Amino acid sequence: MDFDLRAGTAVLERTPQTMRAMLAGLPPAWIDGTEGPDTWSPYVIMGHLIHGERTDWVPRARIILAQGEDRRFVPFDRFAQLREAKQSLGDLLDEFAALRAENLRTLEGWRLTGEQLAWEGEHPELGRVTLRQLLATWVAHDLGHIAQTARVMAKQYREAVGPWRAYLPVMDR
Amino acid sequence: MDFDLRAGTAVLERTPQTMRAMLAGLPPAWIDGTEGPDTWSPYVIMGHLIHGERTDWVPRARIILAQGEDRRFVPFDRFAQLREAKQSLGDLLDEFAALRAENLRTLEGWRLTGEQLAWEGEHPELGRVTLRQLLATWVAHDLGHIAQTARVMAKQYREAVGPWRAYLPVMDR
């Protein structure tokens, strides 16, 4: 499937409500469970998504669109959320929804052309990447973390399901 | 995490709204994409969830609760949805939500005790399983299919993300 601005945006605008539907109001054991040491809970994943809205997707798109001399992205800190002050999960869900809505208004305001989608920036490790690839990655990154959230939650019942574990591939992914 | 009726139910009651938030109104390319031959699209996953509400979780719990002579479950047909008449995705989302709500009313009406949760039935392949394990599996099965849905969607952009694929483990799970 090729990246299409409208179809991609359709996913981006659904992610806040998906995370809210899945997580809001759940008992803490679901929100704070992980897959083991140094893996992320749904709570930490929400912080990571917020950090991406602030420092990754739109700021990098701006660098590409400016077409300046230096098109190198600022490295993204995948662990920033682990150092941030603790907010409630409800606050994180609200903050993510607000930041995402604002970023989608910015994206829409650009009225990007096919030509612009082919413009390039420089990823600090991956090298030259296009705006189209950046936006497709924004979408896939959301979906990856929705999948991760559900997987992390499922694993909390790895023992509780007893022999059914053999029929639940999510337990061992 | 041990199975807890209230915490487990909290997930079960959220799944219809999670699937709706993630899928309702998306362009067909997202709804019908798969991971390759003989794998499921989000549309097929919705049909499978509906079939589970009809023939798996609550009917099996009833067999256990009856504590009759024969406690053997009817085998679950994992592919039934592939033979069913095509409905719109919106219809499937509505049908799943209605069936799930009805099943949760049934579950709540049973006012299950800890003793009953330890009662057993006989799975056609796995042998003796408890009601507690059956209910934990209902929860984990939901979460596994939420994760699968997001993963299948992410993979539609496997090429579109270009070099970022190396940073997106969901693409190769």
Side-chain angles (χ1 to χ4, degrees):
Chain A
M1 184 169 163
D2 289 332
F3 175 76
D4 170 83
L5 195 52
R6 221 166 117 188
T9 306
V11 172
L12 292 174
E13 64 193 18
R14 279 162 176 75
T15 304
Q17 66 204 46
T18 301
M19 295 304 282
R20 191 184 297 278
M22 187 158 39
L23 299 176
L26 280 183
W30 288 120
I31 303 303
D32 296 322
T34 67
E35 294 174 286
D38 297 320
T39 65
W40 293 0
S41 65
Y43 181 91
V44 171
I45 292 167
M46 281 308 305
H48 170 73
L49 288 171
I50 287 171
H51 195 64
E53 293 306 299
R54 285 234 171 80
T55 70
D56 191 333
W57 315 107
V58 165
R60 288 180 169 188
R62 284 191 202 282
I63 289 172
I64 295 175
L65 288 171
Q67 289 290 287
E69 194 87 335
D70 182 5
R71 299 173 194 176
R72 204 176 159 88
F73 303 152
V74 177
F76 179 62
D77 182 352
R78 289 177 55 242
F79 302 100
Q81 70 279 1
L82 301 173
R83 295 187 305 271
E84 272 166 22
K86 277 263 176 187
Q87 290 174 274
S88 73
L89 177 78
D91 286 345
L92 294 186
L93 291 167
D94 290 346
E95 191 177 350
F96 177 56
L99 289 166
R100 173 58 58 90
E102 190 188 321
N103 282 335
L104 289 179
R105 277 193 299 274
T106 299
L107 177 65
E108 200 191 353
W110 287 333
R111 303 192 170 282
L112 295 172
T113 63
E115 194 197 347
Q116 286 173 309
L117 288 171
W119 288 358
E120 292 180 335
E122 196 195 335
H123 187 283
E125 290 171 7
L126 300 171
R128 283 162 62 164
V129 288
T130 65
L131 179 55
R132 181 180 277 112
Q133 289 168 339
L134 174 70
L135 297 177
T137 302
W138 191 6
V139 174
H141 179 267
D142 271 18
L143 293 166
H145 285 297
I146 293 169
Q148 178 189 20
T149 301
R151 187 184 76 231
V152 171
M153 290 173 67
K155 285 186 182 176
Q156 307 312 310
Y157 274 178
R158 194 142 46 171
E159 307 304 323
V161 299
W164 264 291
R165 180 166 169 179
Y167 289 181
L168 294 165
V170 69
M171 295 301 185
D172 298 285
R173 272 185 203 274
Chain B
M1 185 169 165
D2 290 334
F3 174 75
D4 170 83
L5 196 51
R6 221 164 116 188
T9 306
V11 172
L12 292 174
E13 64 193 18
R14 279 162 177 76
T15 304
Q17 66 203 47
T18 301
M19 295 303 282
R20 190 184 297 279
M22 187 159 39
L23 299 176
L26 280 182
W30 288 120
I31 302 305
D32 297 322
T34 67
E35 293 173 288
D38 295 322
T39 65
W40 293 0
S41 66
Y43 181 91
V44 171
I45 292 167
M46 280 309 306
H48 170 74
L49 288 171
I50 287 170
H51 194 64
E53 293 306 298
R54 286 235 169 80
T55 69
D56 191 333
W57 316 107
V58 164
R60 286 180 170 191
R62 284 190 203 283
I63 289 172
I64 295 177
L65 288 170
Q67 288 290 288
E69 194 86 337
D70 181 6
R71 299 175 194 174
R72 203 177 160 87
F73 304 152
V74 178
F76 178 64
D77 181 353
R78 289 176 54 242
F79 303 100
Q81 70 278 1
L82 301 174
R83 296 187 304 271
E84 271 165 24
K86 278 265 177 188
Q87 290 174 275
S88 73
L89 178 78
D91 286 345
L92 294 186
L93 290 167
D94 289 346
E95 190 177 353
F96 177 56
L99 289 167
R100 173 58 57 91
E102 189 187 323
N103 282 335
L104 289 179
R105 278 193 299 274
T106 300
L107 177 65
E108 200 192 353
W110 287 333
R111 303 192 172 279
L112 295 173
T113 63
E115 196 197 343
Q116 285 173 309
L117 287 172
W119 288 359
E120 293 180 336
E122 196 194 334
H123 187 283
E125 289 171 8
L126 300 171
R128 284 161 60 165
V129 288
T130 65
L131 179 55
R132 181 179 277 112
Q133 288 167 341
L134 174 70
L135 298 177
T137 302
W138 192 5
V139 174
H141 179 268
D142 270 19
L143 293 166
H145 285 298
I146 293 170
Q148 179 189 20
T149 301
R151 187 185 75 231
V152 171
M153 290 172 67
K155 285 186 182 175
Q156 307 312 310
Y157 274 178
R158 194 141 47 171
E159 307 304 324
V161 298
W164 264 291
R165 179 166 170 180
Y167 289 0
L168 294 166
V170 70
M171 295 300 184
D172 298 284
R173 274 185 200 274

